[in-house]
């Protein structure tokens, strides 16, 4: 239910998730990453204000009428079959007030039956390599929760959750000592930023239920992870290889669009 004030003015009417990058809504990049990594069930947490996202996947009448009139339009049929494929996998959950990432995830409690689940933030695009697939692979090996991460500029640490390292597994993977939500530079334990891909254990719901408001008065997933770490649960930080595109700010969104179009032009 994020407000997306960072992407105004368009987001005053259009949810950020439907904003196009190279002609494709941001959300489809995220869905494609999940599907390619083997995920079969997807929950989208939206708000009443963002119901147009659900409509996007439930627009059968629109497509059927168009296809009736344009029976030979392959592109049209392709788009409709793609939307139908997504729709089959997606359930919608509502968080009508923006109370934070932790509160949003808690809304999925009754739908998540498996011991672990993958969580993705739609404003973080990762290209050139499937980050979710890497996280799943790592999880299957270590049986631990995993957080995707990148080193960021020290001066920008207050934009992300930041974690400190307890020990090194290898060049790309670390056991996390502590994590803090968007610290000021002087309190940041490092410049290892949490990027929006996590494999979380279902027991996190027990922490989320009891969690008090944190930074900026919101319930943060970061604070629930911190509690689990303090109780002795092992969390791995994984420095992924793909290119991270931050679509959560206007500058980032524009840069991401340029970057992805460049890749496409190259492919074409
Ligand atoms: C959220 C998390 C933050 C994380 C970031 C990644 O923040 O709270 O810990 O680093 O996603 O994008 P948000 O971008 O929703 O403000």
């Amino acid at each position: 239910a994020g407000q997306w004030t960072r992407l105004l003015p368009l987001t005053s009417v259009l949810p950020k998730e439907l904003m196009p990058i190279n002609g494709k809504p941001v959300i489809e990049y995220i869905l494609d990453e999940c599907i390619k990594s083997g995920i079969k069930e997807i929950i989208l947490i939206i708000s009443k204000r963002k119901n147009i996202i659900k409509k996007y996947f439930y627009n059968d009448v629109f497509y059927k009428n168009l296809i009736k009139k344009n029976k030979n339009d392959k592109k049209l049929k392709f788009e409709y079959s793609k939307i139908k494929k997504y729709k089959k996998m997606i359930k919608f959950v509502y968080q009508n007030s923006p109370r934070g990432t932790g509160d949003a995830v808690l809304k999925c409690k009754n739908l998540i039956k498996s011991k672990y689940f993958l969580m993705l933030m739609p404003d973080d695009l990762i290209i050139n390599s499937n980050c979710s697939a890497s996280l799943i692979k790592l999880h299957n090996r270590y049986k631990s929760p995993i957080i995707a991460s990148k080193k960021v500029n020290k001066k920008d640490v207050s934009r992300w959750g930041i974690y400190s390292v307890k020990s090194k597994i290898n060049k790309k993977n670390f056991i996390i000592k502590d994590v803090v939500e968007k610290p000021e530079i002087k309190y940041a334990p490092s410049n290892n930023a949490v990027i929006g891909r996590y494999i979380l254990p279902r027991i996190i719901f027990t922490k989320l239920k009891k969690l008090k408001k944190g930074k900026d008065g919101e319930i943060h997933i970061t604070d629930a992870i911190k509690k689990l770490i303090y109780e002795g649960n092992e969390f791995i930080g994984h420095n992924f290889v793909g290119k991270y595109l931050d679509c959560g700010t206007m500058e980032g969104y524009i840069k991401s669009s340029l970057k992805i179009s460049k890749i496409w032009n190259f492919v074409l």
Side-chain angles (χ1 to χ4, degrees):
Q3 305 263 10
W4 306 116
T5 43
R6 294 181 295 213
L7 282 168
L8 282 170
L10 256 179
T11 45
S12 65
V13 290
L14 183 73
K16 144 89 220 303
E17 296 81 351
L18 292 184
M19 279 173 68
I21 291 199
N22 215 37
K24 174 168 143 176
V26 168
I27 191 72
E28 285 194 24
Y29 287 90
I30 299 287
L31 293 174
D32 289 345
E33 180 183 324
C34 287
I35 295 168
K36 281 186 189 138
S37 75
I39 294 289
K40 301 269 186 283
E41 291 174 87
I42 295 165
I43 303 170
L44 291 186
I45 308 162
I46 62 172
S47 64
K48 275 189 204 149
R49 254 190 67 220
K50 290 186 173 186
N51 223 9
I52 193 171
I53 298 178
K54 186 167 181 187
K55 195 173 169 213
Y56 180 75
F57 294 100
Y58 279 74
N59 224 354
D60 300 74
V61 176
F62 168 85
Y63 279 106
K64 279 181 184 159
N65 284 339
L66 266 185
I67 290 172
K68 234 188 249 168
K69 287 184 211 141
N70 307 280
K71 289 199 172 66
N72 296 323
D73 190 330
K74 284 192 184 136
K75 167 97 170 79
L76 188 59
K77 284 184 182 164
F78 169 76
E79 288 298 337
Y80 184 39
S81 65
K82 198 178 66 177
I83 292 289
K84 276 198 293 190
K85 180 186 80 180
Y86 291 140
K87 181 176 141 187
K88 263 192 198 161
M89 310 176 92
I90 303 175
K91 289 194 173 76
F92 289 87
V93 158
Y94 288 81
Q95 184 204 30
N96 288 322
S97 337
R99 293 203 191 99
T101 49
D103 177 71
V105 174
L106 187 56
K107 304 264 185 244
C108 306
K109 190 176 139 274
N110 296 331
L111 287 176
I112 295 176
K113 306 273 182 251
S114 55
K115 211 171 157 196
Y116 289 90
F117 61 97
L118 177 74
M119 169 178 145
L120 299 91
M121 305 277 198
D123 46 353
D124 289 343
L125 288 190
I126 298 171
I127 55 167
N128 298 344
S129 171
N130 189 321
C131 182
S132 294
S134 308
L135 259 53
I136 292 170
K137 201 170 156 202
L138 207 61
H139 169 74
N140 287 338
R141 176 154 179 215
Y142 291 99
K143 310 288 175 228
S144 293
I146 322 270
I147 296 176
S149 68
K150 275 275 178 216
K151 285 227 178 275
V152 294
N153 281 335
K154 257 245 146 78
K155 63 173 179 44
D156 298 327
V157 282
S158 63
R159 161 74 184 87
W160 292 277
I162 300 288
Y163 73 84
S164 56
V165 170
K166 185 169 153 193
S167 59
K168 193 173 167 180
I169 301 176
N170 52 41
K171 251 173 121 181
K172 299 221 159 291
N173 302 304
F174 310 89
I175 308 284
I176 296 178
K177 183 170 158 201
D178 200 357
V179 62
V180 46
E181 180 65 11
K182 305 195 178 103
E184 287 173 43
I185 303 183
K186 56 180 174 189
Y187 299 121
S190 74
N191 61 338
N192 296 312
V194 173
I195 309 300
R197 304 284 184 279
Y198 312 64
I199 290 185
L200 298 171
R202 216 165 75 92
I203 50 159
I204 201 158
F205 292 124
T206 59
K207 299 291 163 228
L208 286 171
K209 265 197 244 166
K210 292 187 228 150
L211 213 58
K212 297 211 172 76
K213 288 177 185 170
K215 180 104 189 168
D216 300 328
E218 293 189 357
I219 306 280
H220 293 287
I221 197 74
T222 314
D223 294 336
I225 293 172
K226 187 200 251 314
K227 284 215 151 49
L228 287 175
I229 292 174
Y230 283 15
E231 282 179 8
N233 295 282
E234 186 179 273
F235 270 72
I236 295 177
H238 170 63
N239 274 352
F240 57 89
V241 287
K243 169 114 186 98
Y244 164 48
L245 302 175
D246 177 11
C247 296
T249 62
M250 189 51 92
E251 194 195 341
Y253 172 72
I254 292 168
K255 275 193 187 155
S256 306
S257 305
L258 289 172
K259 189 90 201 163
I260 290 185
S261 330
K262 252 193 209 159
I263 292 173
W264 270 94
N265 288 337
F266 183 70
V267 172
L268 293 173

